[in-house]
Amino acid sequence: MTRPARPFEHDGIAFGCDYNPEQWAPDVWDEDIALMQQAGVDLVAINIFGWSHLEPREGEFDFSGLDDIIGRLHAAGIRVNLGTGTSSPPAWLTRAHPEVLPMVEDGTRRYPGGRQAWCPSSPVFRAAALRLVEAVAGRYGEHPAVSLWHVSNELGCHNALCHCDVSAAAFRGWLRAKYGTIDGLNRAWGTAFWSQTYREWDEIGTPRATLSSRNPGQMLDFHRFSSDELLSYYRAEADVIRRLSSAPITTNFMVTAHIENLDYWSWAGDMDVVANDHYLDHRLDDPNAELSFAADLSRGLGGGAPWILMEHSTGAVNWQPLNKAKSAGEILRNSLTHVARGADGVCFFQWRASLQGSEKFHSAMLPHAGTDSAVWREVVALGGIVDRIGEVAGSRVEASAALVFSWESWWATQNESRPSKALGYLDQVHAAYAALHAQGLTVDIVAPGADLSAYRLVVVPGLHLVRAAEAAVITDWIAAGGTALVTFYSGTVDEEDRVWAGGYTGPFRDALGLRIEEFAPVEPGTPLHLSDGGTAHLWSERSHVTTARVEASFSDGPSEGHPAVTRNTWGSGAAWYLATLPSAADYRALIARLADEAGVPPAARVCGATDAVEIVRRRGVDASFLFIVNHGSAPIVVEATGRELVCGTEVSGHVDVPGGAVRIIREEAAA
Ligand code: GAL
C-alpha cells in the first residue's frame, strides 16, 4: 500500500477511547475531561451513535450538544476522532421507511431496538445517512480538534448479509457486472447440478434459507457482494467527508475471532489509516495468541504501516457466554502487545461505564466503581507508559516469516457441505499462528498473491480457495529458495469454488511432490498417532508421495500408512506439507524445525520458560524498540541492551522481566 494522501498525525502514540457523553448530564462532562487529562487520554471518539441526538426529527438538526463537547475537548487539548453518527438509524427513519430494515436469510425482517438495523443496499438509508454526514462534516470538517474521521461503526458487524428484495436486486446488478452473461454465471456456480440453471437474471436471488444445502458458488459470491456493498457505502460517506474536510478518514475494522463477513484486503486501500477493534475471546484455546494474530493482521492490512487500535477493553465484555475480568497487569500486556505489533494508538471501548443500556456490564476505563479501583489505576499507569514511549510511533515491525490469510478461503471453507463440520478455517489459521507465536517468531500476515520476497519462511494454513496465479507466487518463491509449510485442505478449489481436479492441493501439487487421493477426517477428540511419536487429530488423508520425502506417516486411523508430514525439495527451496492437525506441542516443534532450516530467528534470546513470552522488535530511524511481554507468572531473562522505557533504567546484555510484566527496550540503531 502506498502512503495515504492524508496520514493520521498525532504526537506520539495515541491513547484514548469511545466517549458517549449523550448518556450523561453535562455536569459529568467536566469531571470526565479532567479525568481524561489525568489518565493521559488524547484521542476521543465521539458521535458514534449520535444520529437521534443530532437529527431528532427528519431534516431538523440540533448540534448544540456536539458543539459543546467538541469545544470542551478542544479546550482541554484532546483530539477528536469524529464519528459520522450514522451507525444506527433513528426511530423516525425506520418508522417512516420500514423498508430500510435488514432481512435475514429466512426472509424475516430485523427490527429497531438494537443497533445497525439497516440494509446496506438501501438507497433510502443511504440518502438519509449521507445527509447527516454532509451536515456533520460541513459543520466540523475544519474544526481544529478533529484529527480523524470515524465512518459509521464496525460496518457489517450485525447487518452484513441482507436478504431483502432491494439487496437481491443489487446482488443481481453486481453479478451482471461480474459475469456479463447468464451463461457465465451458470458455469461459475455449477448450476447444472440439482436443476439450478438460470435463464433470466430476475430468477436469481440472495441465498435465502433452503430445505437442503445451498449452492456454494452463490453463497461465495453473496459474501463477496456483501463485502463490496458495504465498502461502497463506506466510500459514499468518505466522499462526502473528503469534500468538506482535510482530516484523514477511517472506519473501525473487526479483525477479531468469529467475524468473517468483510474481505478487508479489498477495503484496506481505502483507509487513510487502518483501525481495528479487538476483544479477547475466552471461547478460544489461546486468546493471547489470537490477540497477536489480529494485531499482526491489522498491520498486514496497511502493508506494514502503523495502525490504530480503536477499541479494546479494560476488562469484561458483555457478549460472551462468560465475560471474564482481566487479571492484574493484563490491560498493560494486552495494550502493549498491540503497540509491539505496530499500533500507533491504543483506545478503549469505552470511557465511562454506562449505567443503562445493553452494555451496562461492559468494562470501561472509568468503571462503575469510580477511580478507587484497580482498573482505573492500571489505566492511568498505561497512560503514563504510552506517554513515555512516544518515540515508538512510526517505527515498523520486523518479521522474516509470513502467514497467508484469505477471507475468501474462510467463506469457502465454511461451506454448508464439507468433509467435516469440525473443520473451520480460522481454527486452522489460529493453530498455525499459535505454533509460530509459541516459538517466538514474528509473523507478517499477507494476502494470497502478495510478494513474499522479504520472507524466509511462509506458512499457508488451509488455503482452501486459491487462484492459479496466487499459488504460483508461493511455489515460485519456494523455487527461489524459500521454505514453506502448506497445510491440509489448501488448494482444493479455485475462485469459482470448483475443485482442482487430479488430486487435492491442485496448483501446489507439483511443488509439494505428493498426490492426495482422498480426505479421511476423524471425529473430533479421536487421537491419531504418527510414526515420529507425535499425535494429531481432526484430519487425515490418503496420499502418495511423488517426489517428496515422508517425514512422518499415520500409524493408525483411516489413513494408516499414508504420509502425514512431507518435505519436497522444489528448486532451491523446500515445500513442506502437513496432512493433519498436530497437537500444539508437535506443531510448535515442526515450526521450530522449519524456522531453523529457513534461518528465521526469534527477535531475541530468552533464558527460562519461553511459552508465555512474546518478543517483537519495531525498528525506527534512530532506534529500535524491543517489546517483551511476559504472560507467565515466572520471571524471565531476555538478551537486551539499551534503555528500558517502562521503568526508565539502562540495561546491558540482559533484562529481567518479572512474571506478568512488560518491558520495552530502546536499542540504539546500529551505526
Ligand atoms: C464493538 C462496538 C462498540 C461496543 C463494543 C463492545 O463491537 O463497536 O460500540 O459495542 O463492541 O465490546
Side-chain angles (χ1 to χ4, degrees), residues 17-18 61 88 117 152 260 264 282 304 318 357 401 411 415 430 467 477 482 537 605 621 629 636 638:
C17 49
D18 272 27
F61 292 100
S88 281
S152 191
E260 67 184 62
Y264 289 129
H282 292 285
N318 65 313
W411 299 333
N415 195 346
H430 285 166
R467 294 166 178 80
W477 169 84
H537 55 121
R605 268 194 329 125
V621 181
V629 180
I636 52 161
V638 178

Side-chain angles (χ1 to χ4, degrees), residues 263 265-266 297 301 403-410 425 445-452 458-474 508:
D263 182 349
W265 291 127
S266 64
L297 177 49
L301 287 165
L403 182 149
V404 180
F405 180 80
S406 150
W407 272 276
E408 288 187 308
S409 271
W410 191 349
Y425 174 68
I445 313 294
V446 300
D451 175 21
L452 300 173
V458 170
V459 178
V460 186
L463 191 67
H464 179 59
L465 180 157
V466 71
R467 294 166 178 80
E470 292 164 350
V473 170
I474 297 170
F508 295 118

Side-chain angles (χ1 to χ4, degrees), residues 49 115 153-154 252 277 279 311 317 319 349 359 362:
F49 295 97
R115 66 175 175 187
N153 188 59
E154 289 191 342
N252 43 348
D277 294 350
Y279 292 93
E311 293 180 20
V317 297
W319 42 265
F349 176 85
E359 293 184 325
H362 195 292

Side-chain angles (χ1 to χ4, degrees), residues 313-525:
S313 74
T314 59
V317 297
N318 65 313
W319 42 265
Q320 290 175 23
L322 175 76
N323 297 299
K324 287 199 181 175
K326 291 196 178 178
S327 57
E330 197 172 0
I331 298 176
L332 256 60
R333 291 193 294 280
N334 291 169
S335 299
L336 295 172
T337 299
H338 286 290
V339 177
R341 296 177 184 279
D344 270 6
V346 275
C347 305
F348 291 93
F349 176 85
Q350 60 177 330
W351 166 249
R352 185 186 277 270
S354 303
L355 297 181
Q356 292 181 294
S358 60
E359 293 184 325
K360 63 179 175 296
F361 295 122
H362 195 292
S363 58
M365 295 172 93
L366 183 58
H368 291 150
T371 52
D372 187 8
S373 60
V375 165
W376 174 256
R377 283 185 281 278
E378 204 165 311
V379 161
V380 173
L382 175 64
I385 296 171
V386 166
D387 214 34
R388 290 202 289 289
I389 62 172
E391 203 196 342
V392 169
S395 59
R396 296 229 170 190
V397 172
E398 260 184 9
S400 42
L403 182 149
V404 180
F405 180 80
S406 150
W407 272 276
E408 288 187 308
S409 271
W410 191 349
W411 299 333
T413 301
Q414 304 304 122
N415 195 346
E416 289 170 342
S417 325
R418 55 187 188 270
S420 164
K421 278 275 190 269
L423 173 70
Y425 174 68
L426 204 60
D427 297 342
Q428 288 192 70
V429 170
H430 285 166
Y433 182 87
L436 291 151
H437 185 255
Q439 195 49 33
L441 303 175
T442 309
V443 183
D444 280 346
I445 313 294
V446 300
D451 175 21
L452 300 173
S453 54
Y455 307 107
R456 294 210 287 272
L457 174 65
V458 170
V459 178
V460 186
L463 191 67
H464 179 59
L465 180 157
V466 71
R467 294 166 178 80
E470 292 164 350
V473 170
I474 297 170
T475 53
D476 289 352
W477 169 84
I478 299 171
T483 299
L485 175 67
V486 177
T487 80
F488 64 90
Y489 216 45
S490 291
T492 315
V493 298
D494 67 11
E495 69 268 38
E496 293 180 340
D497 203 40
R498 183 185 292 104
V499 169
W500 284 104
Y504 301 122
T505 70
F508 295 118
R509 194 166 47 228
D510 292 343
L512 294 173
L514 86 168
R515 226 183 124 250
I516 298 161
E517 289 189 21
E518 204 175 357
F519 296 144
V522 293
E523 288 289 345

Side-chain angles (χ1 to χ4, degrees), residues 529-549:
H529 297 96
L530 307 187
S531 59
D532 63 356
T535 52
H537 55 121
L538 191 74
W539 195 263
S540 78
E541 302 173 336
R542 296 167 181 166
S543 69
H544 304 280
V545 291
T546 47
T547 53
R549 186 174 78 206

